[in-house]
Amino acid sequence: MKKDDILKIKQLLKTPKQIVIVPHKNPDGDAIGSTLGLYHYLLKHKQNARVIAPNDYPDFLKWMPGESEILKYDSQKEESDTLISQADIIFTLDFNALNRTGDMEEALATSKALKIMIDHHQQPDNYATYMYSDVSMSSTCEMVYNFIEMLGEKNLIDKNISSCLYAGILTDTGSFRFPSTTSRTHQVVGDLIDNGANHSEIHNQIFDNNSYDRMQLLGRALSNLKVFPEYRTAIITLSQDELNEFNYKKGDTEGFVNYALSLNNIIFAAIFIEDAQNNIVKISLRSKGNFSVNEFSRAHFEGGGHTNAAGGKSNLDLKSTVENFISILPRYKNALNNE
Ligand code: 5GP
Ligand code: MN
């Protein structure tokens, strides 16, 4: 972030403001961790801050300090709209295009508040007054740590802030294994542990909270796994009926796509999840190396994200979506085999 921008933001935060902090729709660990981490920091500045999420998030994120204070736009629209219209500053975290907030888009777009983006996704839109956008970053949580450091206030990072930021770095780096993890990421995480983040407890809350139903659903997902060796690609499908059979709850399919990517010789993986309520198929894409699933998703599935992790959707039914995906693969044969 530009030094000049930091100085201006520092000046802004000297007096109490009405602040709203927003993550993307269907928030993940990095989205909730970064918004709550920033929230706790702003409270220390005696700011009137509030996190408003577009919608609900998985139970395994609900242990985070401050979580119960989060407003959900889809079920608390009136209160949220009032806060957004009265806000002096809106922070948008872990996304870079307002349409990633779903039904909140209009309220955010029409708000007169000064907007500050902190985000690590590719190809940011141009809606923010101040932009801290860096696609090389492991996570938005690492960026919030940097942001606080740039403001010269690392000393304010306490157990609450540390726990939230640690959780987001942990989840967005796939437990520190994705290539975006750097030695700096580890230094930041080390500092967060020194400031009170309990890494073992956080790991348990996020990863060792499985329901029996979720494990059974994983079993079904794995038995649906299909491999296309000539394209070094593996895919998983889950229909709405299968989700219903195992009492699907938000977050239950988190990480399933990584099992497809973990197969030997596979560098491209996809999971197709039917969403009957919204009449779409939600798609998660993962890759290894330089094959950009961000580009792939933008080109074919109305989505985007990072080089190695992206999401998208299809308006076709599940079977046709998968057929369409398979029909696209030959165009990428060279790219997939030259990795
Ligand atoms: P996931 O597959 O876990 O939902 O998302 C993987 C990455 O892609 C995340 O960083 C997420 O924010 C991003 N992403 C997921 N869905 C979309 C989408 O529809 N559009 C864009 N631009 N990014 C997405
Ligand atoms: Mn993220």
Side-chain angles (χ1 to χ4, degrees):
M1 188 163 214
K2 285 189 240 137
K3 221 179 179 157
D4 209 35
D5 289 353
I6 282 288
L7 291 174
K8 286 183 188 146
I9 294 170
K10 211 173 157 69
Q11 195 60 34
L12 277 174
L13 295 181
K14 281 200 169 132
T15 50
K17 300 276 185 309
Q18 304 294 330
I19 301 180
V20 166
I21 312 168
V22 184
H24 55 79
K25 191 177 172 188
N26 298 322
D28 58 7
D30 192 32
I32 296 298
S34 61
T35 51
L36 283 177
L38 181 67
Y39 166 76
H40 288 297
Y41 167 75
L42 292 172
L43 290 192
K44 294 200 153 204
H45 266 277
K46 307 273 181 287
Q47 297 294 343
N48 296 308
R50 200 76 193 260
V51 177
I52 308 178
N55 61 348
D56 201 9
Y57 35 87
D59 286 348
F60 64 78
L61 300 175
K62 293 192 174 167
W63 57 271
M64 283 196 220
E67 182 278 320
S68 59
E69 296 299 314
I70 296 179
L71 282 173
K72 283 151 207 150
Y73 191 81
D74 62 353
S75 56
Q76 292 164 297
K77 189 168 183 307
E78 217 166 291
E79 196 179 350
S80 302
D81 275 333
T82 305
L83 284 175
I84 293 168
S85 68
Q86 291 170 352
D88 303 306
I89 304 173
I90 297 177
F91 281 91
T92 67
L93 265 55
D94 202 35
F95 66 93
N96 60 19
L98 292 180
N99 63 11
R100 294 275 292 128
T101 62
D103 293 340
M104 261 177 108
E105 179 176 4
E106 199 190 328
L108 293 175
T110 53
S111 146
K112 299 267 181 303
L114 181 147
K115 297 191 185 76
I116 303 176
M117 176 201 296
I118 304 180
D119 178 65
H120 65 141
H121 292 89
Q122 303 203 352
Q123 294 156 268
D125 274 1
N126 200 8
Y127 62 80
T129 318
Y130 300 118
M131 239 165 98
Y132 178 24
S133 165
D134 184 346
V135 299
S136 75
M137 283 286 155
S138 73
S139 53
T140 301
C141 281
E142 186 174 338
M143 298 175 78
V144 169
Y145 177 97
N146 290 344
F147 180 68
I148 297 173
E149 186 177 52
M150 287 187 276
L151 290 168
E153 296 196 309
K154 241 172 73 171
N155 59 312
L156 291 187
I157 297 183
D158 61 4
K159 184 179 166 91
N160 282 346
I161 299 174
S162 295
S163 303
C164 296
L165 297 185
Y166 184 95
I169 299 176
L170 175 71
T171 52
D172 249 31
T173 59
S175 304
F176 313 108
R177 74 179 184 274
F178 297 150
S180 58
T181 311
T182 61
S183 62
R184 162 74 182 175
T185 312
H186 284 278
Q187 281 152 10
V188 168
V189 156
D191 201 40
L192 297 176
I193 291 174
D194 285 342
N195 285 306
N198 185 329
H199 63 279
S200 214
E201 215 169 80
I202 293 172
H203 180 100
N204 280 341
Q205 294 278 11
I206 292 176
F207 297 116
D208 296 340
N209 240 330
N210 285 311
S211 65
Y212 182 76
D213 275 333
R214 177 176 190 249
M215 291 291 93
Q216 297 292 300
L217 182 64
L218 173 60
R220 178 63 58 84
L222 294 179
S223 67
N224 290 349
L225 178 66
K226 284 202 174 59
V227 180
F228 303 89
E230 67 276 38
Y231 304 114
R232 303 179 73 189
T233 297
I235 65 169
I236 292 172
T237 55
L238 283 172
S239 68
Q240 186 68 59
D241 283 346
E242 289 173 313
L243 298 174
N244 295 348
E245 187 180 337
F246 300 106
N247 303 310
Y248 169 80
K249 282 180 68 193
K250 209 178 242 303
D252 276 354
T253 56
E254 200 78 35
F256 283 10
V257 66
N258 294 322
Y259 287 93
L261 193 65
S262 74
L263 283 165
N264 57 19
N265 218 16
I266 293 302
I267 63 153
F268 183 28
I271 186 166
F272 300 89
I273 303 171
E274 189 176 22
D275 176 351
Q277 199 185 342
N278 295 306
N279 215 4
I280 58 163
V281 175
K282 177 80 186 95
I283 305 166
S284 283
L285 301 165
R286 298 293 184 268
S287 70
K288 286 189 171 152
N290 295 320
F291 185 74
S292 174
V293 288
N294 169 53
E295 298 296 341
F296 188 94
S297 188
R298 276 174 202 272
H300 306 290
F301 294 108
E302 300 173 42
H306 311 283
T307 303
N308 297 128
K313 67 179 168 92
S314 159
N315 297 312
L316 302 174
D317 64 25
L318 183 60
K319 189 164 169 278
S320 310
T321 299
V322 171
E323 281 167 5
N324 177 34
F325 176 85
I326 294 170
S327 78
I328 293 166
L329 284 178
R331 290 181 231 169
Y332 292 88
K333 189 168 185 177
N334 285 341
L336 290 162
N337 282 290
N338 289 335
E339 262 308 310

